[in-house]
């Protein structure tokens, strides 16, 4: 099993238990950062967000089935009080535990079911080449995403497009999508931008990213841009665990060269993954 499959199994088999992200990472045989990134690439959710939603979904079923003691259901779901459980339940489903129990139904709730992994990995992945990148600067638009909200990235590219060619110090011909500042909850900053010679004359609202000189594993994604998630999923859940390499603390990024057609999404791109040298 790959790290995400191991994490899914561990979460589902320990759903009532007080488990942490460290526990999930240990069960998957990888680091906290690795399991967070791999799980997000495979499922579109954060590890702990998925576990919370699954616990609340099972709690909702118990309530709809007529559970007498809401506090007991709350404790089983990992909450120490009726009040904390009610807040989390309302945030997840937009209603209260009391009302679900009174209605005796979950039909109006958007329950989260267990994720069954399928053949979402690529059957083949071109072996990467390894390069040591020079240090360079990226400037552009940045947004903070969760695993669940990352579907907004294409719109971010659309908002940035009119600025291309009019950015002070712009190095023409190549564009970047940089991923950085990831946390244990699966949140990360994504910056769409161009290389610039310096940051001095940029608009005040532009994000600024310094990419250090760093060893990278460079993967080619030759298919349509809409399938990039399959390639990223395969890198994190298939190639990396068996490669003997470890992730370095540096931005990972997509590099779009002149051959990429932003209008059609064709032409291919490169995925640069920082590895310890």
């Amino acid at each position: 099993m790959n790290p995400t499959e191991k994490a899914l199994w561990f979460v589902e088999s320990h759903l009532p238990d007080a488990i942490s992200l460290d526990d999930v990472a240990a069960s998957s045989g990888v680091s906290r950062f690795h399991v967070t990134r791999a799980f997000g690439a495979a499922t579109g959710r954060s590890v702990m967000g998925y576990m919370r939603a699954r616990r609340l979904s099972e709690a909702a079923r118990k309530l709809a089935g007529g559970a007498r003691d809401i506090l007991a259901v709350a404790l089983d779901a990992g909450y120490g009080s009726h009040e904390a459980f009610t807040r989390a339940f309302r945030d997840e489903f937009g209603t209260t535990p009391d009302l679900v129990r009174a209605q005796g139904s979950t039909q109006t709730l958007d329950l989260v079911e267990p994720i069954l992994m399928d053949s979402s990995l690529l059957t083949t992945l071109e072996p990467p080449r390894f390069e040591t990148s020079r240090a360079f600067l990226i400037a552009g638009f940045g947004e903070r995403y969760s695993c669940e909200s990352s579907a907004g990235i294409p719109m971010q590219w659309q908002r940035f497009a009119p600025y291309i060619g009019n950015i002070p110090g712009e190095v023409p011909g190549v564009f970047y999508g940089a991923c950085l500042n990831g946390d244990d909850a699966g949140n990360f900053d994504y910056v769409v931008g161009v290389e610039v010679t310096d940051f001095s004359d940029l608009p005040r609202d532009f994000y600024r990213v310094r990419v250090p000189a760093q060893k990278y594993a460079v993967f080619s994604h030759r298919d349509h841009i809409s399938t990039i998630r399959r390639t990223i999923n395969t890198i994190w859940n298939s190639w990396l665990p068996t490669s003997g390499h470890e992730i370095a603390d540096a931005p990972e990024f997509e590099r779009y060269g002149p051959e990429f057609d932003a209008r059609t999404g064709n032409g291919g791109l490169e995925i640069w993954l920082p590895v310890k040298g």
Side-chain angles (χ1 to χ4, degrees):
M1 292 191 292
N2 64 49
T4 295
E5 289 174 320
K6 291 178 181 178
L8 284 169
W9 174 87
F10 188 81
V11 169
E12 290 296 332
S13 61
H14 295 78
L15 207 56
D17 303 335
I19 58 175
S20 66
L21 184 61
D22 284 328
D23 297 325
V24 178
S27 75
S28 302
V30 295
S31 68
R32 289 160 57 103
F33 178 77
H34 187 157
V35 76
T36 298
R37 190 73 174 87
F39 196 94
T43 70
R45 288 181 173 271
S46 66
V47 178
M48 303 310 285
Y50 172 76
M51 183 173 68
R52 180 174 59 253
R54 286 287 300 120
R55 284 175 170 171
L56 289 169
S57 294
E58 294 304 315
R61 287 192 172 94
K62 292 179 182 178
L63 293 167
R68 287 189 173 186
D69 189 348
I70 292 182
L71 180 58
V73 174
L75 295 173
D76 286 343
Y79 294 88
S81 69
H82 187 295
E83 292 75 14
F85 176 61
T86 298
R87 285 195 299 271
F89 197 94
R90 185 186 293 113
D91 288 344
E92 184 70 23
F93 299 122
T95 187
T96 65
D98 302 76
L99 189 57
V100 170
R101 184 175 63 174
Q103 292 174 337
S105 172
T106 61
Q107 289 187 355
T108 62
L109 306 184
D110 187 15
L111 300 181
V112 174
E113 305 295 346
I115 294 175
L116 298 177
M117 297 301 296
D118 55 22
S119 56
S120 59
L121 296 176
L122 296 173
T123 55
T124 58
L125 179 72
E126 290 185 36
R129 71 179 190 274
F130 292 88
E131 289 194 18
T132 299
S133 169
R134 60 181 172 80
F136 65 100
L137 308 176
I138 297 174
F141 283 8
E143 296 285 349
R144 187 73 173 168
Y145 290 101
S146 65
C147 294
E148 293 82 1
S149 68
S150 60
I153 288 176
M155 185 62 70
Q156 185 182 349
W157 276 98
Q158 290 183 12
R159 291 197 304 270
F160 179 67
Y163 290 82
I164 295 174
N166 301 295
I167 299 171
E170 178 178 345
V171 178
V174 180
F175 315 104
Y176 295 91
C179 183
L180 59 157
N181 300 329
D183 63 22
D184 290 346
N187 304 307
F188 61 95
D189 291 333
Y190 185 83
V191 178
V192 301
V194 296
E195 181 180 351
V196 294
T197 54
D198 63 75
F199 292 149
S200 58
D201 296 321
L202 294 173
R204 294 179 61 183
D205 57 347
F206 266 40
Y207 269 58
R208 296 153 171 80
V209 179
R210 295 182 181 274
V211 180
Q214 168 66 46
K215 181 180 178 181
Y216 280 88
V218 183
F219 298 85
S220 294
H221 176 83
R222 304 186 189 279
D223 296 330
H224 189 271
I225 184 63
S226 63
T227 65
I228 188 174
R229 185 167 168 177
R230 291 192 68 201
T231 300
I232 295 174
N233 183 11
T234 306
I235 291 169
W236 281 90
N237 279 303
S238 180
W239 179 82
L240 186 58
T242 60
S243 68
H245 293 281
E246 294 183 47
I247 294 298
D249 184 14
E252 59 182 281
F253 57 85
E254 303 140 20
R255 182 184 185 277
Y256 300 81
E259 66 280 359
F260 180 72
D261 186 339
R263 182 179 60 85
T264 65
N266 293 315
L269 58 106
E270 293 180 337
I271 298 167
W272 289 58
L273 191 72
V275 293
K276 294 181 179 180

